[in-house]
């Protein structure tokens, strides 16, 4: 089993790129997993990203790791190529950001929990690096700022620390190999970058 992960900030182009990849012959038989939040039937059940305490951050982590456990079981049944829209590193990057912003100090504990819980450790992960200005523009173009003007995942401090987890790591991410590529191009350019690298990784057994 080969596991590939795609990471990046919200509105970074991950989901669009993976949607186009489903038609690529080298990837067509892969088992695709959507972002964790797509597993919730009701929006109000999704844990808040703006946690207010260490306990609330741990509770959110546990909720998402239950979804990760379901991913593990499905991936084992599939047994072939697996493609993840966000991985456990998203959960750890979020915890790192909240540690830096609020001083929760829970990342070491969560890293230990990950090791002890069933999870998919990607063989290769690509992080799409997108400037904050472009992220804000994409969200504005989607008119999502009108219904949710205060979008925590685009808070400048959160974006900085979330990015640092991948681009300036102080501890090794869960993935075995991490690559970083610019996601500042349009959707077609970003999808082409993801497709090229994922097709290459999928062929390296």
């Amino acid at each position: 089993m080969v596991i590939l992960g795609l990471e990046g900030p919200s509105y970074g182009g991950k989901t669009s790129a993976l949607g186009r990849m489903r038609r690529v012959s080298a990837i067509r038989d892969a088992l695709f997993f959507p972002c964790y939040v797509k597993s919730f039937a009701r929006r109000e059940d999704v844990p808040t990203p703006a946690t207010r305490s260490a306990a609330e951050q741990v509770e959110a982590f546990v909720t998402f790791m239950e979804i990760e456990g379901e991913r593990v079981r499905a991936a084992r049944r599939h047994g072939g190529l697996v493609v993840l829209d966000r991985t456990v590193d998203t959960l750890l990057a979020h915890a790192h950001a909240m540690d830096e912003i609020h001083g929760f100090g829970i990342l070491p504990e969560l890293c230990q929990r990950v090791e002890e819980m069933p999870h998919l450790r990607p063989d290769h992960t690509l992080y799409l690096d997108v400037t904050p200005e472009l992220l804000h523009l994409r969200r504005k173009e989607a008119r999502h700022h009108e219904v949710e003007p205060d979008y925590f995942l685009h808070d400048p401090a959160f974006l900085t620390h979330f990015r640092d987890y991948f681009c300036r790591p102080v501890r090794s991410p869960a993935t075995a190999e991490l690559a970083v590529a610019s996601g500042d191009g349009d959707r077609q350019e970003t999808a082409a970058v993801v497709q090229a690298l994922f097709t290459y990784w999928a062929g390296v057994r």
Side-chain angles (χ1 to χ4, degrees):
M1 182 165 59
V2 175
I3 304 172
L4 308 181
L6 188 59
E7 291 284 0
S10 182
Y11 291 84
K14 303 179 307 302
T15 302
S16 295
L18 292 181
R20 293 170 184 244
M21 283 188 56
R22 291 175 180 269
R23 301 187 294 271
V24 177
S25 58
I27 310 289
R28 187 174 298 140
D29 295 331
L31 177 61
F32 284 81
F33 285 105
C35 178
Y36 293 104
V37 297
K38 298 292 181 64
S39 295
F40 294 88
R42 302 188 308 166
R43 181 181 178 87
E44 55 266 33
D45 292 336
V46 180
T48 177
T51 51
R52 297 175 292 273
S53 67
E56 191 174 9
Q57 185 69 34
V58 171
E59 183 180 357
F61 168 83
V62 171
T63 298
F64 286 124
M65 285 301 287
E66 291 174 356
I67 298 171
E68 183 68 14
E70 295 173 2
R71 284 178 162 193
V72 170
R73 290 186 286 274
R76 286 174 177 168
R77 292 193 298 269
H78 177 72
L81 180 64
V82 175
V83 178
L84 308 175
D85 183 346
R86 296 203 180 279
T87 74
V88 293
D89 276 316
T90 274
L91 310 181
L92 300 178
H94 195 116
H96 168 70
M98 301 309 281
D99 278 4
E100 293 297 315
I101 294 171
H102 296 299
F104 290 162
I106 61 170
L107 181 59
E109 175 189 342
L110 298 190
C111 287
Q112 182 61 41
R113 289 195 183 206
V114 164
E115 293 301 319
E116 297 170 352
M117 300 171 74
H119 68 284
L120 296 175
R121 183 187 185 212
D123 298 287
H124 311 277
T125 295
L126 174 62
Y127 179 83
L128 291 175
D129 195 19
V130 185
T131 62
E133 295 78 12
L134 183 54
L135 294 173
H136 296 319
L137 178 60
R138 288 176 178 174
R139 188 164 180 272
K140 185 176 181 179
E141 289 176 341
R143 305 183 70 85
H144 293 167
H145 70 293
E146 297 177 358
V147 295
E148 189 180 2
D150 297 321
Y151 188 57
F152 177 75
L153 295 179
H154 283 180
D155 175 84
F158 179 84
L159 282 174
T160 295
H161 297 305
F162 185 88
R163 179 183 185 274
D164 284 350
Y165 175 89
F166 294 98
C167 299
R168 301 175 59 186
V170 296
R171 64 167 61 229
S172 297
T175 186
E177 179 184 11
L178 176 65
V180 178
S182 173
D184 286 345
D186 60 28
R187 288 185 179 182
Q188 290 186 342
E189 292 172 329
T190 299
V193 170
V194 175
Q195 178 179 325
L197 194 52
F198 274 40
T199 300
Y200 170 74
W201 281 336
V204 178
R205 306 287 178 170

